[in-house]
Amino acid sequence: MGISNPEIKKLYGLAAGRCSICKINVFDNEVHIGEMAHIIAKNSGGARGNEEIVRNRNSYENLILLCANHHTEVDQNLSFYTVERLHKIKTEHESTIASHFESPNERVDDISFLKLFMRFVPFTQLRYFTEHLPVSVNLKLCTVGDMFEAGLVDNPHLYPLNDTNLQAHFQLFIEGYYELWNIISGFTNVAGRQQANFGQADDRGYLHMERRCLPYEKVKKLNESLDIKKSNFISAYSAFIDFIRRNYKEVDLGSYEPYKI
């Protein structure tokens, strides 16, 4: 049995006739370029076909609207496009579409928050700033917390965010940042005194771990903690970037404007 008309209408309607990943209109100059991709393949030998059993593999719940290019990518990159990830992409896309019509003012507020944050935080450079951890870290990483806290004071009406998916991604990102930064800016007890984990910034703006002032076991423990917190932060950061690029194309991730004195 093929895909029924009610299922097709629901899929295209809730997706607004756009690819759930790149958002391209699947009707290009009157040519239909959209494809109804199966999240779990119709046959067990297909993409994600052996993941689990679904009663009706042609149901709306097991379909996602994609352009031809992304349908190919989804079925070839199985390690990335898991069943869970595809369901998440589909849900986030349909929620974003609904927000345009059901709560446009709330979406405008969320976009304002993101634009302000990107303007004052060197967002696209955060991975680079943490590249040399646990040995050193760029001081500019602290702008994440500084600007977030300033925004809460200056624009309290913009946070928390209205889009629950956006809020979830940002929450993981900001929590990951604080868990990492709290170690960098923190202290370790050494023979009854409090020793800073990292020293003052050098002339290039880098903070270095105070290895000479910390016992080997303390350094080892700090290294392990920093590796874990850095990994968690980068994972949340990458997911946050991916979500914004897919759902908030109005936001320029590279709009950072450094202060000029």
Side-chain angles (χ1 to χ4, degrees):
M1 183 177 68
I3 304 171
S4 67
N5 281 334
E7 305 284 9
I8 295 173
K9 290 178 180 178
K10 184 176 182 180
L11 182 67
Y12 273 78
L14 293 180
R18 293 185 176 274
C19 172
S20 298
I21 295 177
C22 67
K23 317 303 181 187
I24 189 174
N25 193 328
V26 299
F27 295 95
D28 185 17
N29 293 324
E30 299 184 1
V31 176
H32 180 214
I33 60 172
E35 297 183 1
M36 295 176 288
H38 287 83
I39 295 174
I40 298 174
K42 289 184 293 184
N43 303 312
S44 59
R48 295 165 297 276
N50 59 349
E51 292 281 340
E52 56 186 91
I53 302 299
V54 290
R55 187 175 62 180
N56 180 4
R57 299 202 176 195
N58 284 328
S59 66
Y60 158 80
E61 287 73 20
N62 191 45
L63 297 169
I64 181 172
L65 184 62
L66 301 172
C67 64
N69 288 338
H70 275 109
H71 190 176
T72 299
E73 181 179 329
V74 159
D75 284 353
Q76 290 183 349
N77 191 352
L78 303 182
S79 61
F80 182 79
Y81 289 108
T82 61
V83 171
E84 180 182 14
R85 186 182 296 275
L86 288 175
H87 277 299
K88 185 176 182 181
I89 289 173
K90 176 182 177 181
T91 299
E92 289 177 347
H93 172 65
E94 292 180 353
S95 295
T96 299
I97 294 300
S99 71
H100 281 279
F101 304 100
E102 295 174 1
S103 52
N105 292 332
E106 291 182 354
R107 181 176 175 82
V108 169
D109 282 349
D110 287 349
I111 291 172
S112 295
F113 174 89
L114 291 174
K115 286 184 173 180
L116 282 170
F117 190 75
M118 301 307 165
R119 179 182 175 187
F120 295 110
V121 173
F123 190 71
T124 58
Q125 301 175 59
L126 298 184
R127 184 188 295 269
Y128 170 73
F129 291 160
T130 63
E131 182 180 10
H132 300 297
L133 280 171
V135 176
S136 62
V137 62
N138 194 297
L139 181 60
K140 288 184 179 178
L141 181 65
C142 75
T143 59
V144 172
D146 291 346
M147 293 304 105
F148 174 59
E149 290 160 22
L152 294 180
V153 174
D154 296 339
N155 297 284
H157 64 291
L158 296 181
Y159 194 85
L161 300 160
N162 299 293
D163 181 342
T164 55
N165 293 311
L166 177 62
Q167 174 64 27
H169 278 286
F170 184 83
Q171 189 70 25
L172 288 174
F173 163 75
I174 201 68
E175 286 178 356
Y177 160 78
Y178 278 120
E179 289 180 2
L180 177 61
W181 187 254
N182 286 342
I183 297 177
I184 295 168
S185 61
F187 295 81
T188 295
N189 188 292
V190 179
R193 65 180 176 84
Q194 293 297 303
Q195 170 62 51
N197 294 333
F198 283 72
Q200 297 294 317
D202 62 20
D203 56 2
R204 297 185 304 117
Y206 276 86
L207 309 173
H208 298 268
M209 186 187 289
E210 293 281 21
R211 292 172 177 265
R212 293 178 301 177
C213 303
L214 293 165
Y216 171 77
E217 288 301 323
K218 300 288 188 180
V219 171
K220 182 180 178 182
K221 186 175 181 180
L222 276 177
N223 285 346
E224 293 172 350
S225 295
L226 284 166
D227 282 340
I228 293 171
K229 299 306 181 183
K230 173 188 172 181
S231 177
N232 292 342
F233 171 65
I234 293 301
S235 177
Y237 168 63
S238 299
F240 186 33
I241 287 178
D242 184 55
F243 178 81
I244 294 173
R245 284 175 173 164
R246 284 190 283 106
N247 299 287
Y248 287 86
K249 294 182 180 295
E250 308 96 323
V251 178
D252 180 2
L253 296 176
S255 59
Y256 172 59
E257 297 179 3
Y259 291 119
K260 295 180 180 180
I261 300 176

